[in-house]
Amino acid sequence: MYRTACLLILLLCSLSLRADDLSGRLRLLYPGNEPAAVDERGFLEKKLENLFRQLRYTDKLDRKSLKNQVARIEERLRRDVLLHYDPAAELTDAFRNGTYNDATATLLYALTFEAFHLPHEGHVDHWESYLVVDPRGKHLTVRNPSAREHTPGAELTYRREYLSLVRNTLDEDLTALSPAEADAVFYTYYYRPEQRLTFQQLSAYEQYRLAQSAYATAAYDRADRLLANARVQESRPAFTLLERAGKIQLTSLERPDVEGYVSELFELWREAPGNRYFPAALLQHFDERQGILLTEGRPDDARALLTRYASRCPGGQAAWTDQLQLLQSLRLLAYYQEKGQAVQALHLAEALLAGDPDNQDFQGYVAELTLVGLRHTYTDPVELVREAEQAGRRYPFLLHHDRYADILLRESALSVRDRFAALDEPAALEALRNFREQLTAIPNGHDRPLWTLTAFVAASNYYFAEEDYALARGYIEEALKHDPANDFLLHQQDLLSRY
């Protein structure tokens, strides 16, 4: 009895320590005792604890090898939490509406790895942060679900664009620098990929990424507040550079006579309608002013601003007014997405597409918003497929989109899993035959490896339980033909080779 009581006390202490660790991390992310900070900490703590329970008891994470623990954590987060990339997403948005960016995804992975005592370290490499799990051993890299390939050309482009900000902000002449010298300047004002970052530094990076997003939409005051939050955690030249850039932009927007300046540009343009400087300057100024209005939550005022600008240009400038309208539509599209107003965003994307039906960017907006909206609305896989097919009849380009492929493969894979789980072997084999046909007919899909694993592992597990080990191995080997580098499948293959 005494021994049992001691073990219980030790267990309670262990749980208390874990809770304290999580509480400390959340207080680092949301400091202070203001009601908003307390509410965010409480919300995030409940969601994370629920996530940890699912991983521990449903996914049985504690019983798995390190590689399989990492794979299962990635699968759970990608399936349930990290659904849609948004550069302006905040940490709690992942649990509220499924949106994330590289920084928030990295923090959620880090908090989860800490909960299960998986050693890891953070890095920032050009446009994204990521984690390395077991850096002294297996060295497993974990990136956000929308991570972009790091080709030398893409990295070079990113460095050049960033150096443009350095040049314009600090008024430095970088034109005569060699590539090596230019890279040295870049890393002076940015992160070095090989530098290991603590959790606190990653939390500062998250605020910096939000500041970058705010700066991109001309929300310079918000960017300044976010950078102040970042500097509480860490002092870094990248923060100072962006702060100075925002103040320069804000100063230029706060001219004492903004309307007089705009009126003068329009007057000069009417006197010289062929001059290309005036329409370009007015277009830029319009975009800056509408960015401020949208940041303040005033879309109607932004639309009124467009009407005023369009009515003041010289005659015969239809192309310029079209540019004005397009620029506002794209800004409003981003605004509606940021506010979670998916219906308005979709209607706007459809209006853009109606004006230019062959525009692949507009097709992409409509496809993404339509399919993500359907997935959030319809939880039943069969019903989701039916609705997606109906949308595909309206917009045939949806049929070639990765998310459409994921909807079909998901329904088919879950059908295989559920029929094997119900021990209905004939129906399960028929469902598996259909799934194979879909894998051949549908070559794309973001989550194709996940659904491949789901279907064939379900079949393998069924025949393993029936002690038909050869058939169980065969299904794993078939899955590996589709996803030869999958660690989980390779581990299963190794285990089954012993039977």
Side-chain angles (χ1 to χ4, degrees):
M1 180 69 181
Y2 174 76
R3 184 180 180 185
T4 302
C6 288
L7 288 173
L8 181 59
I9 290 170
L10 287 173
L11 176 61
L12 289 173
C13 289
S14 173
L15 291 174
S16 175
L17 285 172
R18 290 183 187 178
D20 287 346
D21 288 344
L22 179 58
S23 178
R25 290 306 197 201
L26 297 181
R27 187 166 284 276
L28 185 69
L29 294 167
Y30 294 98
N33 294 316
E34 295 81 5
V38 173
D39 289 346
E40 290 296 272
R41 285 201 299 268
F43 173 80
L44 194 54
E45 186 168 18
K46 288 179 182 177
K47 292 295 184 180
L48 286 169
E49 287 176 345
N50 182 56
L51 172 67
F52 300 160
R53 279 194 296 271
Q54 290 177 319
L55 287 164
R56 180 166 284 113
Y57 299 116
T58 303
D59 299 333
K60 298 178 172 56
L61 202 70
D62 291 324
R63 304 180 188 178
K64 303 184 184 302
S65 67
L66 184 141
K67 287 179 68 175
N68 286 334
Q69 283 181 313
V70 173
R72 187 56 59 90
I73 288 170
E74 285 192 275
E75 178 187 337
R76 172 68 69 175
L77 281 166
R78 288 172 184 236
R79 185 181 67 217
D80 297 344
V81 183
L82 307 176
L83 305 180
H84 181 58
Y85 188 89
D86 181 352
E90 299 193 25
L91 191 57
T92 52
D93 289 340
F95 292 106
R96 288 195 166 98
N97 54 37
T99 58
Y100 68 93
N101 57 42
D102 68 290
T104 57
T106 298
L107 286 175
L108 290 174
Y109 279 127
L111 289 166
T112 308
F113 293 148
E114 283 191 349
F116 290 92
H117 308 293
L118 302 184
H120 59 278
E121 59 187 29
H123 296 267
V124 170
D125 186 3
H126 287 74
W127 54 82
E128 66 173 358
S129 59
Y130 67 96
L131 296 175
V132 175
V133 182
D134 192 19
R136 306 294 176 265
K138 295 185 180 297
H139 203 273
L140 305 174
T141 300
V142 177
R143 299 182 185 273
N144 74 86
S146 299
R148 200 167 92 230
E149 183 182 2
H150 279 247
T151 63
E155 290 183 345
L156 178 60
T157 298
Y158 185 89
R159 291 196 298 272
R160 284 176 175 171
E161 290 176 352
Y162 192 85
L163 287 175
S164 175
L165 177 68
V166 174
R167 183 177 60 252
N168 294 335
T169 303
L170 304 181
D171 197 24
E172 290 190 14
D173 183 7
L174 307 178
T175 55
L177 297 183
S178 67
E181 290 170 334
D183 285 349
V185 174
F186 170 77
Y187 291 121
T188 297
Y189 290 101
Y190 199 65
Y191 289 81
R192 291 182 176 274
E194 70 277 6
Q195 181 186 19
R196 296 191 297 272
L197 302 178
T198 65
F199 185 90
Q200 183 168 335
Q201 290 172 317
L202 288 173
S203 68
Y205 173 75
E206 184 234 2
Q207 293 294 294
Y208 172 62
R209 288 289 284 119
L210 290 174
Q212 285 182 311
S213 177
Y215 179 88
T217 59
Y220 304 120
D221 284 333
R222 172 170 164 75
D224 189 60
R225 290 193 297 273
L226 289 163
L227 289 168
N229 294 341
R231 278 195 297 274
V232 171
Q233 311 292 357
E234 180 187 18
S235 178
R236 188 172 285 271
F239 304 165
T240 304
L241 177 70
L242 189 59
E243 178 190 33
R244 184 168 178 181
K247 287 182 177 177
I248 291 173
Q249 293 291 339
L250 198 57
T251 300
S252 69
L253 292 174
E254 291 176 345
R255 294 184 179 94
D257 186 15
V258 172
E259 191 55 42
Y261 171 75
V262 170
S263 296
E264 182 181 357
L265 284 179
F266 273 118
E267 184 177 344
L268 291 170
W269 188 17
R270 283 191 292 271
E271 293 174 359
N275 188 304
R276 289 185 291 182
Y277 167 76
F278 300 125
L282 284 163
L283 199 65
Q284 180 181 358
H285 201 269
F286 165 78
D287 192 35
E288 291 170 345
R289 294 181 71 184
Q290 77 163 349
I292 293 172
L293 293 171
L294 292 176
T295 300
E296 295 172 350
R298 298 160 57 191
D300 290 340
D301 289 342
R303 294 188 187 92
L305 182 69
L306 182 144
T307 301
R308 291 200 302 274
Y309 270 61
S311 66
R312 298 169 71 181
C313 71
Q317 299 292 338
W320 185 80
T321 54
D322 287 345
Q323 283 183 291
L324 207 65
Q325 181 63 65
L326 176 60
L327 190 56
Q328 178 152 108
S329 295
L330 295 174
R331 292 294 190 196
L332 284 171
L333 187 62
Y335 171 80
Y336 288 137
Q337 288 181 282
E338 181 183 347
K339 297 296 182 183
Q341 298 174 2
V343 174
Q344 293 92 325
L346 178 57
H347 288 166
L348 187 52
E350 289 175 329
L352 286 167
L353 183 65
D356 189 359
D358 296 325
N359 188 301
Q360 293 186 353
D361 289 332
F362 298 162
Q363 290 179 358
Y365 295 146
V366 171
E368 185 78 9
L369 289 164
T370 298
L371 296 172
V372 169
L374 289 177
R375 185 163 180 178
H376 287 167
T377 304
Y378 299 97
T379 56
D380 179 76
V382 175
E383 190 176 11
L384 177 59
V385 168
R386 184 173 65 249
E387 293 296 327
E389 288 174 341
Q390 182 176 338
R393 286 191 286 273
R394 181 181 180 189
Y395 295 120
F397 55 81
L398 259 65
L399 305 179
H400 307 290
H401 196 275
D402 283 316
R403 291 196 184 277
Y404 185 85
D406 286 334
I407 287 172
L408 297 186
L409 293 174
R410 173 178 181 265
E411 188 276 332
S412 187
L414 294 180
S415 177
V416 173
R417 184 200 65 186
D418 294 345
R419 281 159 176 75
F420 273 120
L423 306 182
D424 188 349
E425 184 182 15
L429 291 174
E430 176 63 19
L432 187 58
R433 183 187 66 79
N434 292 335
F435 182 73
R436 286 193 183 99
E437 290 178 355
Q438 285 199 332
L439 281 179
T440 302
I442 304 172
N444 57 321
H446 292 303
D447 298 330
R448 180 185 177 89
L450 171 62
W451 305 126
T452 302
L453 182 146
T454 299
F456 288 112
V457 169
S460 177
N461 289 344
Y462 174 84
Y463 287 105
F464 182 83
E466 294 292 313
E467 299 184 359
D468 190 340
Y469 303 124
L471 199 51
R473 282 194 301 273
Y475 282 118
I476 295 299
E477 288 164 1
E478 184 175 357
L480 280 167
K481 291 178 182 177
H482 297 283
D483 192 7
N486 187 290
D487 289 334
F488 178 80
L489 292 174
L490 290 170
H491 179 65
Q492 290 293 98
Q493 184 185 45
D494 179 59
L495 288 177
L496 290 171
S497 68
R498 304 170 192 176
Y499 290 88

